[in-house]
């Protein structure tokens, strides 16, 4: 799986959009970009994934650059409950392919 | 999203005893399950991958005789920590995936060995 690089930590004011960047310059053509988050002392939660088009669901939006070397996860209106570690992962979209976690970004939403 | 249930949520055991952790996929058939371990302030570390009906594949450095994994059905995998010691105290997390794309995670099990 391709390696990803994320900032160690970020702050965001409550109610504002949180934009979390991820670099994955060695991504292969058949690898998807996945985002998970882990709230303290819980298992990771799936957020969103995409291949090359931008994606949106009820939780977040995913913006992938045209060259696919980087992406941004957008939480449109951050709340205190969004405080978590956010992991950007690239992997082939097959069920048996393992999910390997990097260090992620610790997002702190501030009141 | 799909639901993965892990049990127990926390367990305290005496040094030298064995502990079994269960991971169930509640609304889908999990052809593949993954087991992770997470120490405080660290990321998740993959321990092993198990496919239903097959022996688990362990990551380098993980003792297969200490961490026994069974994936006997499409909805249940178990991790048994044998002869547990204080250094095995950690947060253990399972993940399950069908033939599709996303992997869904259990809520984790906090193991404390005293």
């Amino acid at each position: 799986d391709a390696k990803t690089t994320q900032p160690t930590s970020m702050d965001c004011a409550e109610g504002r959009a949180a934009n979390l960047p991820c670099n994955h310059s060695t991504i292969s053509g058949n690898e998807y970009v996945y985002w998970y988050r882990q709230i303290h002392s819980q298992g990771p939660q799936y957020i969103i994934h995409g291949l090359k088009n931008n994606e949106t669901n009820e939780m977040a939006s995913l913006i992938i650059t045209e060259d696919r070397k980087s992406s941004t996860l957008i939480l449109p209106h951050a709340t205190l409950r969004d405080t978590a570690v956010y992991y950007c992962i690239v992997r082939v979209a097959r069920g048996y392919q393992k999910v390997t976690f990097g260090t992620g970004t610790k997002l702190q939403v501030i009141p | 999203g799909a639901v993965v249930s892990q049990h127990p949520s926390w367990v305290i055991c005496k040094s030298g005893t064995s502990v079994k952790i269960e991971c169930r996929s509640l609304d889908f058939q999990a052809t593949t399950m993954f087991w992770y371990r997470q120490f405080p302030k660290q990321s998740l570390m993959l321990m092993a991958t198990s496919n239903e009906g097959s022996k688990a594949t362990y990551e380098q450095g993980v003792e297969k005789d200490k961490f026994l994994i069974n994936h006997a059905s499409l909805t249940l995998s178990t991790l048994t920590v044998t002869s547990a010691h204080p250094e095995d105290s950690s947060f253990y997390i399972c993940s399950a995936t069908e033939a599709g794309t996303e992997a869904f995670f259990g809520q984790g099990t906090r193991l404390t060995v005293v």
Side-chain angles (χ1 to χ4, degrees):
Chain A
D1 292 339
K3 179 181 169 62
T4 62
T5 304
Q6 299 177 253
T8 302
S9 63
M10 293 180 63
D11 290 340
C12 176
E14 188 178 18
R16 298 281 187 155
N19 297 283
L20 292 92
C22 179
N23 287 318
H24 32 78
S25 59
T26 60
I27 190 169
S28 301
N30 62 347
E31 287 183 314
Y32 285 69
V33 180
Y34 285 79
W35 283 85
Y36 289 84
R37 73 179 181 183
Q38 186 179 26
I39 296 170
H40 183 63
S41 294
Q42 297 183 24
Q45 177 188 22
Y46 165 80
I47 301 173
I48 198 168
H49 75 282
L51 183 62
K52 55 183 178 180
N53 297 321
N54 297 337
E55 302 288 343
T56 296
N57 62 21
E58 64 277 5
M59 289 183 68
S61 294
L62 174 60
I63 308 298
I64 303 173
T65 58
E66 192 169 344
D67 63 8
R68 301 207 326 123
K69 292 185 177 182
S70 65
S71 61
T72 301
L73 178 74
I74 301 172
L75 307 178
H77 306 285
T79 70
L80 297 179
R81 288 179 295 180
D82 292 322
T83 293
V85 178
Y86 287 76
Y87 296 98
C88 168
I89 294 160
V90 293
R91 66 186 280 261
V92 176
R94 293 194 190 94
Y96 55 84
Q97 291 291 326
K98 58 189 178 184
V99 180
T100 304
F101 289 82
T103 53
T105 296
K106 168 71 176 175
L107 175 68
Q108 182 71 48
V109 180
I110 302 168
Chain B
V3 178
V4 175
S5 176
Q6 201 172 326
H7 178 80
S9 297
W10 60 269
V11 58
I12 301 173
C13 72
K14 291 184 177 180
S15 186
T17 62
S18 296
V19 174
K20 180 184 286 188
I21 302 170
E22 291 187 350
C23 180
R24 294 181 185 273
S25 57
L26 297 186
D27 52 1
F28 66 102
Q29 293 187 323
T31 51
T32 304
M33 286 188 172
F34 307 96
W35 286 94
Y36 296 82
R37 179 168 53 180
Q38 186 176 34
F39 292 108
K41 301 190 184 223
Q42 294 186 21
S43 187
L44 287 78
M45 184 191 77
L46 180 66
M47 299 174 68
T49 302
S50 73
N51 294 295
E52 185 265 337
S54 303
K55 288 185 178 180
T57 302
Y58 290 82
E59 295 297 303
Q60 192 172 10
V62 178
E63 299 175 59
K64 62 180 181 180
D65 294 329
K66 181 168 185 61
F67 299 99
L68 302 179
I69 293 172
N70 183 283
H71 191 170
S73 79
L74 286 172
T75 59
L76 174 64
S77 176
T78 60
L79 167 67
T80 301
V81 183
T82 63
S83 186
H85 291 284
E87 57 265 30
D88 298 322
S89 297
S90 187
F91 192 51
Y92 291 86
I93 304 166
C94 73
S95 170
T97 179
E98 203 176 9
T101 58
E102 303 97 276
F104 297 96
F105 291 80
Q107 68 269 41
T109 297
R110 176 77 56 193
L111 170 64
T112 303
V113 184
V114 299

